[in-house]
Amino acid sequence: MLELKRPPQNTRKEITYVRRDGADLALHLWRPKNLKGAIFYFHGLQSHAGWLWEVGPQYADNDIAFFVLDRRGSGISDGERHDLPDAETILADYAAALATVRRIIGEDTPLQLFGHCLGGSFLAALMHHPEFDVPYDSAVFCSSWLGKLHATLSEEQRAALAADDGTELWDAGLKSADFTDNVKYQHYIDHDDLAVRALTRRSRATLLELEKLYLQPRRELPDVPVSYVSGLTDPIVDLDDAHKTFIEMTNGRGGIIKLPTHQHYLYYTDVRTSLVTWSSTYALIPGLDHHG
Amino acid sequence: MPKTDPTPDSRTDSRTDSKKDSTKASTEWQKHWKARRGRFIEECRQAHERLLADLKCPTTAQDRVLADIIGVSAASLHWKEHNYDVLASDKASFRKVLPIMRYDDFAEVIERETRTKGGTLTCSPVLRWLKTSGTTGTPKRVPYTLHWLLTYRIPAMMAMWGTYLEHHPELLAHPYATLDTQTVREDVSDFVHGVEHQAVSNRHPQINTRDWNPPWYEAPWFGPATPTSHEGRMYHRIRHLLGRNLHYISSINPSTLISLRDLIEAHGKSLVRDLREGTVDGEPWGEPDPAAADHLAAVLEKPGFSLKDVWPSLTLYSCWLSASAGLYQSKLDAVFPGVAKLPFMSCGTEGVTTIPVDDTPHSQPLAISQAFFEFVPAEVPLGELVERGEPVETLLFDEVEAGRDYHLIMSQGNGLYRLWTGDIYHVDRIEGGTGGVPWIHFVRRDGVFHSFTGEKITEAQVTQAIEQGVAEQGLDMGLYMCGPKWGEPPHYVALVESHGSDKGVDAELSGRIDEALKTINIEYASKRDSGRLRPIEVVTVPHDAINAYVEGRRAAGNATQYKYKPFQQDIDFVADIVGD
């Protein structure tokens, strides 16, 4: 499985479109020369595939095909900015993209689903969706406050949120300094004209709906390795609460990993390579054929 | 420049610690040099041999390059949106379907690519944006992709150094044998959507283990700790190499080499002091070297000393030697007496055009494995045709003729296809006859001419006329600068460096050059004969006058990219050099 001595690989970056209900969704792929595993990355509220220009080639150099779907309304995908459609549409978009990914990588390549921040909530919802049937081999939740709305809002507040169909914008209050202390990345985040920093109020009702899918599960998760990874602390996420939700969701069989940073966006910190290396390995190992 | 020395008492302790640090750093970079040397030589040798093999099978090489460009581009959004992925599959369809492009024609797709960082223009990750001056004052953004780095740009550097090493193996005789000013390592402070935007000559930071990594990569005069100002960086380079058996100084621009010598003269006292005290810029570094200090002090006493005086061990220098750079030759001869020379490759930020494979100074083979090349005869008004979107017939490498000038169009592995570079090359000869590789040299930039009344004087024509007139007058010449002066009627003014500068010769020289220009440019002759132009006015100036002016105007940063331009669009330089 491992080549211990080789030059840097001439990896590729490709963009294909997943056609969905009149919307073209951009599926970015950092393609390795020798494809041995794959990761499908669920980006958070603000980011998009363009944020991953450094880790994409790193994964590909590890023989990992690294896929990122610019969610509807994000990155270079079609769709209303700042306004999420209903939960079913979002999850169907992801399911369609993952079906495309499976077609590209084949049935036997181990596939890891990797959700960052809010992307972790999309991932958890998709994994628990009764109709989601694309096979995967591992899952990673990264710096993701799973069940945040349920944890921070009362029942009455959640009911009000669920009924809110307003289109005025709700500012997520994201600060680049919470994501990274590297000024290069801070500057990029602050000036990224593709970034989404606010959502319509009705979009938050969608987020609540997504949380319900994994907090009130209607299906068992497949028996594949699942882990939660974050910094030692996180300025945006209540890690204790996130861990609690994660442990309950995975019936106590998931792993919890902490990397030595206090920033939120691990890929823009000094632990980037550690995270890429660990998650690459975590994606590849389930592909070992013990019958070989 | 060198700081005032601190008082002896206050510096003693920190000096001891710093000395330890500097000794450790000194050891570390030499460890890297020793560990890297053998592999570097082998990589350069292999790249050089691959280039020679491609030059023997040029059609195969061009076919391979075009197939590679199509392979890395076809699945990109840009190609799919224009159906190029379906329509362009070979030399004929590629040239029929894809238009000839100027950099600005790529502006929109490059803007999109800055956000996706790969997948829009080509299917290779964009690792860096290369910065170079654009036509509108906005710096260009040339995509530096992983594919381009691995397949083209680094192999080109390796092949050239393979040539250098083949002819002068002594340049890696020991860690202090080579002073490389071709490339620098500078911290980058400019970004395009998070991605570094920097000059191609800045090789910092190293992207991967196949990125440019010469043995001196960690040397104290090469690393990012050196000052970024031209003078500061040069001072460090000089200081670290003084007292060493330096064999080779590499440069891109000849002016850098001239400047190196002049800076030794200008900062001689500081250099002597630094050597004597074991300091660099007044800060502790290594051991005092009184012998080197004495040697430099003696050299500084000699008027017009050469770099060979400074480093008697010098055996080689390299830089651009053709086109306007060739005007530096007499200065280079004075600075490097008896020292061998090798040319730098013809290249720009957008790509490599020729790579030296031997010691021929003024002509190099087309870099057949670096790009897919097309040519258009220089007399074709390519700019006008491209502007109007008219189809232009192009020639392939095996269709050009020796003795003629051509516009160069190149398609690069970074996605900039059919790029009209604006450079005009002269074909010197065809290696091995029909079907062989053209040996070419850069002549001038297209459009670098001036016209008061339709004469379209080009830089090459002025150069030729001045060289001819100066030779007829029995003078020597160094650099020149020429520009238009409006009047009733207007005329051109040229300043020419010469050891024989004298107001008494200027009138006769002007007449000779005017006659030469009439012969070279018949439109100029027509306008002169009809009184629409006054004769060119030539003023000889002391030998270093223009060089000093050029160096004085050298931009504070990015000095590696600075280019001396003999042909100016105004005559502001005249007042600066000779007064009113």
Side-chain angles (χ1 to χ4, degrees):
Chain A
M1 177 173 253
L2 292 173
E3 284 173 79
L4 297 179
K5 191 171 184 180
R6 66 176 191 185
Q9 304 293 288
N10 192 354
T11 62
R12 286 168 66 94
K13 164 75 196 298
E14 299 169 5
I15 303 170
T16 55
Y17 281 103
V18 180
R19 296 265 149 95
R20 294 282 306 155
D21 302 331
D24 283 350
L25 306 182
L27 179 62
H28 300 250
L29 161 60
W30 282 267
R31 187 194 286 271
K33 211 168 170 184
N34 304 302
L35 195 156
K36 292 177 182 167
I39 292 177
F40 183 93
Y41 180 93
F42 295 70
H43 67 76
L45 168 64
Q46 182 178 207
S47 72
H48 53 87
W51 284 37
L52 299 153
W53 79 92
E54 289 171 318
V55 294
Q58 270 188 288
Y59 278 116
D61 204 49
N62 290 347
D63 297 339
I64 299 286
F66 189 67
F67 292 89
V68 185
L69 179 74
D70 280 343
R71 196 173 47 246
R72 191 182 288 252
S74 292
I76 60 168
S77 284
D78 291 343
E80 285 294 315
R81 305 280 127 173
H82 313 114
D83 192 34
L84 294 178
D86 59 276
E88 286 300 320
T89 300
I90 293 175
L91 296 181
D93 286 347
Y94 277 122
L98 277 159
T100 301
V101 168
R102 261 294 167 212
R103 277 198 296 278
I104 292 171
I105 66 173
E107 291 178 4
D108 297 333
T109 301
L111 170 64
Q112 176 181 103
L113 307 184
F114 188 118
H116 179 266
C117 192
L118 186 61
S121 201
F122 292 118
L123 167 57
L126 184 68
M127 289 163 71
H128 287 86
H129 195 281
E131 291 170 22
F132 177 58
D133 60 358
V134 177
Y136 58 94
D137 305 276
S138 62
V140 173
F141 296 89
C142 181
S143 308
S144 180
W145 194 343
L146 296 166
K148 176 183 179 182
L149 293 173
H150 282 76
T152 56
L153 299 178
S154 66
E155 198 169 334
E156 291 74 25
Q157 287 172 314
R158 294 202 300 273
L161 184 61
D164 194 343
D165 61 356
T167 55
E168 60 271 36
L169 291 179
W170 168 81
D171 188 337
L174 300 171
K175 298 194 292 285
S176 60
D178 289 337
F179 279 55
T180 173
D181 56 9
N182 183 311
V183 291
K184 163 185 153 180
Y185 298 116
Q186 285 179 3
H187 184 271
Y188 168 54
I189 292 171
D190 290 338
H191 295 86
D192 178 17
D193 51 14
L194 293 182
V196 172
R197 301 181 182 87
L199 282 178
T200 57
R201 298 190 68 82
R202 69 184 180 196
S203 296
R204 299 188 74 213
T206 298
L207 297 179
L208 189 66
E209 194 62 27
L210 289 164
E211 284 188 3
K212 282 182 193 167
L213 278 164
Y214 57 91
L215 295 177
Q216 299 156 26
R218 288 182 284 158
R219 71 182 281 185
E220 290 286 312
L221 293 181
D223 185 17
V224 299
V226 187
S227 280
Y228 188 100
V229 61
S230 69
L232 297 174
T233 61
D234 191 304
I236 295 173
V237 177
D238 181 338
L239 288 179
D240 289 340
D241 188 69
H243 288 162
K244 179 169 163 287
T245 305
F246 171 75
I247 291 166
E248 287 171 5
M249 187 177 77
T250 56
N251 292 321
R253 60 175 183 77
I256 292 179
I257 290 169
K258 288 192 174 186
L259 297 172
T261 179
H262 296 280
Q263 305 297 127
H264 175 65
Y265 199 70
L266 304 187
Y267 287 141
Y268 288 175
T269 71
D270 289 343
V271 305
R272 177 180 85 201
T273 298
S274 292
L275 179 56
V276 170
T277 304
W278 170 79
S279 52
S280 296
T281 312
Y282 202 64
L284 285 170
I285 296 301
L288 278 175
D289 183 355
H290 294 286
H291 304 287
Chain B
M1 287 316 298
K3 300 167 189 167
T4 308
D5 280 343
T7 61
D9 287 342
S10 68
R11 72 182 179 184
T12 308
D13 289 339
S14 63
R15 194 179 162 95
T16 307
D17 289 342
S18 299
K19 187 141 295 186
K20 281 180 191 164
D21 289 344
S22 70
T23 305
K24 188 180 170 194
S26 174
T27 311
E28 287 301 313
W29 81 264
Q30 293 195 40
K31 271 187 194 168
H32 175 83
W33 189 94
K34 284 168 187 159
R36 179 75 185 122
R37 178 180 181 273
R39 185 72 197 144
F40 179 74
I41 291 171
E42 181 57 18
E43 288 169 4
C44 292
R45 188 191 65 76
Q46 288 178 10
H48 179 70
E49 286 197 354
R50 279 195 298 272
L51 174 61
L52 294 180
D54 283 334
L55 291 170
K56 284 180 185 160
C57 304
T59 303
T60 305
Q62 283 287 274
D63 289 349
R64 185 188 70 229
V65 170
L66 182 60
D68 181 64
I69 290 167
I70 293 173
V72 78
S73 305
S76 70
L77 296 183
H78 179 70
W79 275 52
K80 286 189 283 190
E81 287 160 5
H82 290 81
N83 277 338
Y84 297 158
D85 58 325
V86 177
L87 299 173
S89 58
D90 56 24
K91 287 173 187 169
S93 57
F94 179 80
R95 289 192 286 165
K96 184 178 174 190
V97 172
L98 278 71
I100 294 174
M101 302 283 276
R102 297 156 297 190
Y103 171 82
D104 290 345
D105 297 325
F106 286 106
E108 186 187 341
V109 68
I110 284 176
E111 188 66 30
R112 291 169 62 195
E113 187 76 293
T114 61
R115 288 163 178 79
T116 58
K117 295 126 176 167
T120 301
L121 184 57
T122 71
C123 293
S124 184
V126 178
L127 308 173
R128 199 173 265 180
W129 293 98
L130 301 184
K131 184 192 286 187
T132 185
S133 55
T135 52
T136 58
T138 306
K140 289 182 189 172
R141 295 176 293 194
V142 175
Y144 194 61
T145 65
L146 177 62
H147 183 67
W148 206 37
L149 178 156
L150 292 173
T151 315
Y152 298 99
R153 294 306 301 241
I154 298 302
M157 294 276 281
M158 292 284 184
M160 180 179 70
W161 280 84
T163 300
Y164 292 172
L165 282 162
E166 184 184 68
H167 284 74
H168 289 270
E170 75 275 13
L171 65 87
L172 283 180
H174 56 83
Y176 294 97
T178 289
L179 170 54
D180 174 21
T181 71
Q182 286 173 16
T183 50
V184 297
R185 292 181 61 199
E186 282 180 4
D187 289 326
V188 181
S189 57
D190 192 10
F191 300 89
V192 182
H193 293 292
V195 177
E196 283 80 357
H197 190 201
Q198 62 197 78
V200 65
S201 53
N202 184 9
R203 300 286 174 171
H204 184 75
Q206 200 172 38
I207 289 170
N208 59 36
T209 57
R210 279 289 188 271
D211 200 359
W212 184 237
N213 182 15
W216 52 88
Y217 193 78
E218 303 292 345
W221 48 267
F222 193 71
T226 48
T228 52
S229 69
H230 172 67
E231 283 203 13
R233 182 187 300 281
M234 290 294 263
Y235 186 92
H236 274 236
R237 287 166 170 162
I238 294 162
R239 163 62 184 91
H240 282 290
L241 275 302
L242 282 171
R244 308 290 181 174
N245 274 333
L246 180 66
H247 294 311
Y248 170 47
I249 305 177
S250 91
S251 173
I252 298 176
N253 286 293
S255 62
T256 306
L257 299 169
I258 308 297
S259 164
L260 181 74
R261 183 254 170 231
D262 292 346
L263 287 169
I264 292 175
E265 186 166 41
H267 300 287
K269 284 183 182 171
S270 299
L271 288 164
V272 169
R273 187 180 63 227
D274 271 344
L275 286 166
R276 205 174 294 290
E277 297 186 358
T279 55
V280 175
D281 249 3
E283 297 296 323
W285 182 273
E287 298 299 322
D289 191 345
D294 290 344
H295 173 73
L296 180 61
V299 168
L300 290 168
E301 292 294 316
K302 181 180 171 185
F305 67 85
S306 72
L307 290 177
K308 183 81 171 169
D309 294 323
V310 178
W311 288 288
S313 50
L314 270 183
T315 53
L316 175 69
Y317 73 90
S318 64
C319 62
W320 276 326
L321 295 170
S322 59
S324 59
L327 296 170
Y328 280 92
Q329 195 56 60
S330 64
K331 291 180 189 300
L332 292 171
D333 290 343
V335 169
F336 293 104
V339 179
K341 64 188 176 196
L342 285 171
F344 189 69
M345 60 172 67
S346 302
C347 66
T349 304
E350 291 87 349
V352 174
T353 307
T354 71
I355 299 174
V357 294
D358 60 24
D359 57 0
T360 307
H362 300 301
S363 189
Q364 298 169 26
L366 183 69
I368 204 78
S369 49
Q370 279 291 312
F372 180 68
F373 293 105
E374 299 169 63
F375 300 86
V376 175
E379 56 271 23
V380 174
L382 188 53
E384 295 169 26
L385 296 175
V386 171
E387 181 67 33
R388 293 201 296 266
E390 291 185 19
V392 178
E393 290 291 318
T394 62
L395 303 171
L396 298 181
F397 81 92
D398 53 359
E399 296 173 310
V400 298
E401 295 173 30
R404 295 189 63 182
D405 292 350
Y406 293 93
H407 299 282
L408 182 76
I409 295 165
M410 63 182 177
S411 299
Q412 287 279 344
N414 66 346
L416 298 186
Y417 57 81
R418 303 203 78 199
L419 181 68
W420 172 37
T421 61
D423 289 343
I424 291 178
Y425 281 83
H426 181 78
V427 177
D428 298 301
R429 63 188 175 90
I430 307 293
E431 176 77 20
T434 307
V437 175
W439 279 57
I440 63 179
H441 71 267
F442 171 73
V443 181
R444 63 182 167 92
R445 292 280 301 161
D446 180 68
V448 177
F449 64 83
H450 187 270
S451 229
F452 285 115
T453 176
E455 72 276 15
K456 289 191 176 176
I457 288 282
T458 69
E459 182 180 299
Q461 290 169 346
V462 175
T463 302
Q464 189 184 341
I466 291 177
E467 285 178 343
Q468 201 173 313
V470 164
E472 285 170 8
Q473 190 94 4
L475 296 171
D476 69 305
M477 72 173 277
L479 306 183
Y480 82 84
M481 288 178 98
C482 178
K485 183 175 182 183
W486 285 94
E488 297 291 339
H491 71 292
Y492 290 92
V493 179
L495 303 187
V496 181
E497 285 182 352
S498 176
H499 284 102
S501 73
D502 181 353
K503 282 185 180 172
V505 303
D506 290 351
E508 188 180 352
L509 181 62
S510 296
R512 289 182 191 278
I513 292 172
D514 191 53
E515 286 304 314
L517 208 45
K518 282 185 191 171
T519 310
I520 294 163
N521 182 323
I522 55 168
E523 288 298 323
Y524 178 83
S526 162
K527 315 301 182 201
R528 282 279 299 110
D529 293 345
S530 60
R532 282 175 287 174
L533 287 176
R534 282 172 54 206
I536 185 169
E537 179 186 355
V538 181
V539 179
T540 51
V541 294
H543 191 60
D544 258 336
I546 294 175
N547 187 53
Y549 169 75
V550 169
E551 285 305 317
R553 288 177 59 101
R554 181 185 280 273
N558 204 9
T560 312
Q561 294 231 322
Y562 174 80
K563 294 183 182 91
Y564 149 66
K565 292 178 183 136
F567 201 71
Q568 303 282 307
Q569 294 300 313
D570 56 49
I571 55 161
D572 292 350
F573 63 91
V574 175
D576 290 336
I577 296 172
V578 298
D580 294 332

